[in-house]
Amino acid sequence: MLPRMRTRRGYSLIELIIVLALLALAIGLAYPGARAAADGWAVRAARDATASVLASTRAAAVAHRGAELLVVQATGEVLTRTARSPRPLPRLSVTTDWGVALSSPGFAGDTVSIRYDALGLGRVASRTLRFERGASSAGITVSAYGRIRRW
């Protein structure tokens, strides 16, 4: 009669170490790409939310005979102000909500103002807002007539 062979139950320590090392290597290789993708999504979300507030400001200008969008570069706040607003108007903070830095290239002050008259037309020369996080960036350019171009 032949002796009975024992079946293995479980894994050796070497096998577990090799699997964990391969898993750590895969995570290490995937992390920079995932981080860059998350930065890109955050930048585009902040840009699109700001464009939405710009559109609301333009609509409020027609309803309230003028409105102004204020962008505070230091804190990343974007808010709408009108002289005759019975209810709160849109307001957001891109730095708090998405961790995105907001700037206006070529503008020296801290608060950028984009004004719309009663017809919804812009009352500034062209203004650019830039959103940055990590290596990702996106922007909005507001034309002299108040139209928005995303890039």
Side-chain angles (χ1 to χ4, degrees):
M1 204 163 187
L2 292 172
R4 202 164 180 203
M5 299 287 287
R6 287 183 28 188
T7 58
R8 277 177 59 183
R9 294 184 185 251
Y11 301 100
S12 69
L13 184 59
I14 301 284
E15 290 171 330
L16 290 175
I17 290 173
I18 289 172
V19 168
L20 288 176
L22 290 174
L23 185 62
L25 181 66
I27 289 172
L29 290 174
Y31 180 75
R35 181 67 182 174
D39 288 345
W41 292 330
V43 163
R44 286 189 297 278
R47 178 198 62 193
D48 292 343
T50 303
S52 175
V53 173
L54 269 164
S56 296
T57 303
R58 194 171 184 185
V62 174
H64 300 286
R65 295 187 188 152
E68 178 180 25
L69 180 87
L70 299 173
V71 178
V72 182
Q73 296 183 65
T75 61
E77 285 187 280
V78 179
L79 57 113
T80 302
R81 183 171 68 183
T82 66
R84 311 175 326 138
S85 177
R87 60 187 171 90
L89 294 169
R91 178 186 195 131
L92 65 99
S93 175
V94 296
T95 304
T96 304
D97 296 343
W98 294 281
V100 173
L102 176 60
S103 64
S104 181
F107 185 77
D110 182 48
T111 303
V112 177
S113 173
I114 300 173
R115 289 191 175 100
Y116 292 99
D117 65 8
L119 297 174
L121 299 175
R123 290 295 172 202
V124 295
S126 182
R127 183 77 71 215
T128 299
L129 300 175
R130 185 180 193 99
F131 304 86
E132 297 181 45
R133 178 172 146 178
S136 298
S137 68
I140 294 174
T141 302
V142 182
S143 73
Y145 290 112
R147 284 178 265 152
I148 302 166
R149 185 177 70 86
R150 299 171 193 195
W151 49 272

